[in-house]
Amino acid sequence: MSSARPHFKLQYQTKVIFLHHLRHLLRECTYLPDPAARIYHHNHILDRFRDYRPRAGQTEFWPDRKWIHDEQHQVQCLRKCRKRTSLLYRANGGETAALTKVLHETYGRIGKRRHELLKPYIQPDIPKDPEDLQRSKGMTDSPILDLPEAVKLLGRTQPKQHNATSHQHIAKFDKYTKPVLPETNIWGRAMPRKRIRNAKRRTYNELIDRLLPPLPQDEWDRLRCLAAGDSTFPKVPLRRARSPSLPELPTVEHGHNISRRFMQRLWGSVFLMCPTMSYDAVKSKWQIAWGKIKDVRPMQFDASDKLRYLFDPLELEESDRLEEDNRDSWPEHCSQGELGAADTGS
């Protein structure tokens, strides 16, 4: 008996609407001020649309593939397209909240990429000693979480990063190293195994939802250079003239001028939430390095110049013009500073 179901056939006009949304989304991706954000969101949007595209000659959708169920689901998909277009447009307009969310998704602080970056570090450690392997099998019913060493290191060092979002803040990591339930219940009987497994699963999922995954070393170095101003500021693409036949875009109420100073602040806030990890085979332990404030140098600004700009705005415009002309003379490659890795034993 076939488990497939006939899919909801989209009308030709509806397909054209989805195609227009796809073109709007890809167009907004080209205007993002971060080069990595342009590539990530461009690929992410294409993957999302391709998941719903039926194969050639396919008349049925199988459960392992996404498909539009009915008209209500179609309306929800169109609403998601409009919301994502609004988010990218507001981010390109310099709205801090929207651009911060775009950067968090790009560097894996939230969203799909966060789970992809965290997946290699949450794999259980395989004991090399047969006795340890037999002992680990007996801990399945233990009320204590059996966490990998990489997860323990991330959990112990993450509470020091005070700029993490509220739902990702770990106040006390000791909570996840203690028994999740007492040994006996209120009647003095042994705690049921099923209840122990459910409590461990909830506690483990809560911890995983709060962890900030490490970035690859090359990407972490590049983000550090952008936050510290040691690399060339990527040029923001100019927006092309929009056809009057296209629908109106949402207004940006709290937009900022996307300058080097503005982007450096945002890159710095994201960099402080990004660690990088590597395994030292000689010492048989993980090493971790979090982004530090000393690596994000504040831009120098003379107070006397600030007062002078208040009385002579023309000098401020001339200074901005000279800064734009000097962008081409900035170093092409950022300096490789010390990572300041904090070695923590298992």
Side-chain angles (χ1 to χ4, degrees):
M1 182 177 179
S2 177
S3 60
R5 297 170 55 187
H7 68 82
F8 174 72
K9 293 185 179 181
L10 298 177
Q11 301 295 329
Y12 174 77
Q13 297 177 349
T14 307
K15 294 180 180 180
V16 173
I17 294 176
F18 276 108
L19 181 60
H20 284 322
H21 279 295
L22 175 60
R23 296 182 63 184
H24 295 336
L25 290 169
L26 297 181
R27 185 184 299 112
E28 292 299 326
C29 289
T30 61
Y31 300 135
L32 290 174
D34 188 297
R38 298 173 206 161
I39 299 174
Y40 171 75
H41 286 277
H42 182 275
N43 296 334
H44 177 67
I45 291 170
L46 286 180
D47 292 340
R48 290 283 292 168
F49 273 81
R50 285 169 180 168
D51 289 341
Y52 286 87
R53 182 181 63 180
R55 298 171 183 173
Q58 183 179 2
T59 59
E60 294 179 340
F61 274 112
W62 293 83
D64 59 341
R65 292 182 61 85
K66 298 179 180 179
W67 52 287
I68 296 181
H69 305 277
D70 46 25
E71 293 184 0
Q72 183 178 1
H73 190 202
Q74 172 184 314
V75 173
Q76 294 177 357
C77 293
L78 290 174
R79 185 183 298 114
K80 290 181 181 179
C81 293
R82 290 191 294 267
K83 290 180 63 176
R84 178 58 58 168
T85 305
S86 174
L87 174 68
L88 295 178
Y89 180 76
R90 288 184 286 110
N92 293 327
E95 189 172 311
T96 305
L99 189 52
T100 301
K101 182 177 180 179
V102 169
L103 293 178
H104 283 180
E105 292 179 348
T106 302
Y107 294 101
R109 303 306 93 190
I110 59 176
K112 179 181 179 181
R113 189 163 187 247
R114 174 184 169 274
H115 298 277
E116 295 176 352
L117 292 175
L118 194 60
K119 188 176 181 179
Y121 300 95
I122 61 178
Q123 302 298 329
D125 297 331
I126 301 177
K128 298 180 180 180
D129 191 357
E131 297 181 358
D132 296 338
L133 180 60
Q134 190 67 22
R135 192 182 304 110
S136 63
K137 292 181 179 179
M139 292 186 63
T140 54
D141 297 332
S142 174
I144 302 177
L145 291 177
D146 186 16
L147 300 175
E149 295 299 328
V151 174
K152 293 180 181 178
L153 183 57
L154 273 174
R156 284 197 298 265
T157 56
Q158 184 170 322
K160 302 176 183 179
Q161 309 301 317
H162 301 288
N163 61 319
T165 56
S166 58
H167 70 280
Q168 291 177 327
H169 182 67
I170 300 179
K172 294 181 180 180
F173 182 72
D174 294 340
K175 166 187 175 182
Y176 304 100
T177 59
K178 297 179 180 179
V180 296
L181 289 175
E183 296 181 356
T184 57
N185 55 18
I186 57 176
W187 294 282
R189 302 172 185 173
M191 194 66 66
R193 296 181 179 180
K194 187 174 182 179
R195 187 177 176 186
I196 293 177
R197 289 195 297 268
N198 293 338
K200 289 173 65 175
R201 184 177 65 253
R202 288 192 298 267
T203 307
Y204 179 78
N205 292 336
E206 177 187 346
L207 174 61
I208 296 302
D209 290 340
R210 292 176 180 269
L211 288 179
L212 296 173
L215 280 178
Q217 186 65 48
D218 55 346
E219 189 174 357
W220 191 83
D221 291 336
R222 187 180 61 82
L223 180 60
R224 172 187 170 276
C225 294
L226 291 173
D230 293 340
S231 62
T232 305
F233 180 72
K235 294 183 179 179
V236 180
L238 298 178
R239 185 177 289 274
R240 293 171 295 178
R242 186 176 177 83
S243 174
S245 61
L246 295 177
E248 296 182 0
L249 291 173
T251 58
V252 181
E253 299 180 356
H254 306 286
H256 295 266
N257 182 26
I258 300 180
S259 60
R260 181 167 67 99
R261 185 189 300 270
F262 175 69
M263 288 303 303
Q264 194 170 333
R265 292 196 190 101
L266 294 183
W267 282 323
S269 64
V270 176
F271 175 68
L272 296 178
M273 300 173 60
C274 296
T276 180
M277 291 184 66
S278 60
Y279 185 77
D280 191 348
V282 178
K283 299 181 180 179
S284 298
K285 65 178 181 180
W286 287 93
Q287 294 181 343
I288 187 170
W290 285 85
K292 297 182 180 180
I293 298 180
K294 68 177 183 179
D295 294 334
V296 184
R297 300 196 308 268
M299 300 183 64
Q300 300 296 330
F301 191 82
D302 192 358
S304 59
D305 293 339
K306 185 177 181 179
L307 295 176
R308 179 165 50 86
Y309 293 154
L310 293 177
F311 295 98
D312 194 354
L314 295 178
E315 294 191 10
L316 176 59
E317 296 179 2
E318 181 68 17
S319 176
D320 292 341
R321 186 184 64 80
L322 293 176
E323 181 180 356
E324 293 289 339
D325 296 339
N326 292 334
R327 282 183 181 177
D328 297 335
S329 62
W330 293 349
E332 294 293 334
H333 302 283
C334 62
S335 59
Q336 299 295 331
E338 295 183 357
L339 298 181
D343 297 347
T344 307
S346 58

